[in-house]
Amino acid sequence: MKRCIGMFAAVALCSSTAFFALGSKEQVSASSNWAREVGLDKTETVAELYEKAKKEGEVNVYGCTGRIENVKKAFEAEYPGVKVNFYDLGINEMLEKFSREYKAGIYTADVLQLKEQTGSIKRDYIDTGLLHNYQPTDIFSGVRQEYLVVTPFVIELDWWSYNTDIYKDLPISSWWDLTKPEWKGKFVLLDPSGEPDLPVLFACMVQHADEMAADYQRVFGKKIVLASDEPNAGYAWIKRIAKNNPILETSNSNIVKDVGGAPNMKEAPLGYGVSSKLRERDIQGFRLGAIRTNLKLLRRP
């Protein structure tokens, strides 16, 4: 399926969407040189790729954003005769599906579009040979080397959003504010059972526990007192926000809808999610604001 991979990845680049390419019809191992042997990274013209792709007829894409539907439509219109089969999946669901299929000898996926946040995709899938970084030199020769541990198409932020009908600016200035009684049940996070974003944030808090402790003292005017099950201030923050009834949503789309999905909302939670969803302010008229004046105080550890 290399020909379809090449054609589809080229279109995906214009759509600023991140893809990892998989040699789905090959038996892959970490020690093999299959990608080079089959010419997966060989630079070919669009016309050459298109002619070869038409012989295969279709490409299967596992993706974590519904925007791939727009890429699918644009691709099929531009290149008739090559069908794109798109599977819209959460990250954890996608990796479980891919791994289960691979172990069973079922090679459905040609392209995986997902997020790399912890290094686990490179370590567990790319370095072991299960996935391949599709990086033709004509596309990636100008990309900085430090980004090429994966195949990058977009770098996205996680940030806080708020309802602009209710707040003029972000109404908190510290992560610790979320542990206060007045914010109980009034902030939304992404459910960690489907996406890795929240565990990544928790790991950052633990790694920067000294900074969290210093910020606690700034907010509350005294040093933090740790409970027996709180090894440091990072763990303490995780435990204390969990007790403050966060709302868990299954998608970033739902987070921004909760925050500002209707006009004249009288109450709305704060939402922590991906920056790209700010586009719903222009597309659907959502009442969304993001960090501005409080950015330095509320930086992600």
Side-chain angles (χ1 to χ4, degrees), residues 34-49:
W34 69 271
R36 183 174 65 251
E37 291 171 357
V38 300
L40 188 58
D41 283 334
K42 179 182 177 183
T43 296
E44 296 172 277
T45 67
V46 172
E48 289 173 332
L49 287 169

Side-chain angles (χ1 to χ4, degrees), residues 52-120:
K52 294 174 181 177
K54 285 191 292 184
K55 294 178 181 179
E56 298 193 13
E58 62 181 23
V59 57
N60 297 317
V61 180
Y62 293 179
C64 63
T65 171
R67 283 175 288 174
I68 301 301
E69 284 287 357
N70 297 330
V71 178
K72 164 185 164 66
K73 292 176 183 177
F75 182 90
E76 291 178 340
E78 184 74 16
Y79 302 105
V82 183
K83 181 182 178 183
V84 177
N85 302 311
F86 171 51
Y87 301 79
D88 191 357
L89 306 165
I91 299 296
N92 294 345
E93 180 187 11
M94 184 194 310
L95 292 174
E96 180 183 358
K97 176 177 172 61
F98 165 71
S99 298
R100 186 172 62 249
E101 290 173 343
Y102 186 86
K103 290 177 182 178
I106 302 170
Y107 307 114
T108 303
D110 297 304
V111 177
L112 272 69
Q113 176 264 322
L114 35 69
K115 294 185 288 188
E116 173 65 291
Q117 294 177 296
T118 65
S120 61

Side-chain angles (χ1 to χ4, degrees), residues 7 45 60-61 95 101 108 126 149 153 162 192 194 196 204-205 207 213 225 228 257 266 290:
M7 290 293 292
T45 67
N60 297 317
V61 180
L95 292 174
E101 290 173 343
T108 303
I126 295 174
V149 292
F153 290 93
Y162 58 91
C204 288
M205 296 300 187
Q207 290 172 346
V225 177
S228 60
K257 186 179 295 184
K266 301 302 180 183

Side-chain angles (χ1 to χ4, degrees), residues 242-254:
K243 286 188 173 182
N244 222 23
N245 294 354
I247 303 165
L248 296 181
E249 279 288 10
T250 56
S251 71
N252 282 285
S253 294
N254 287 341

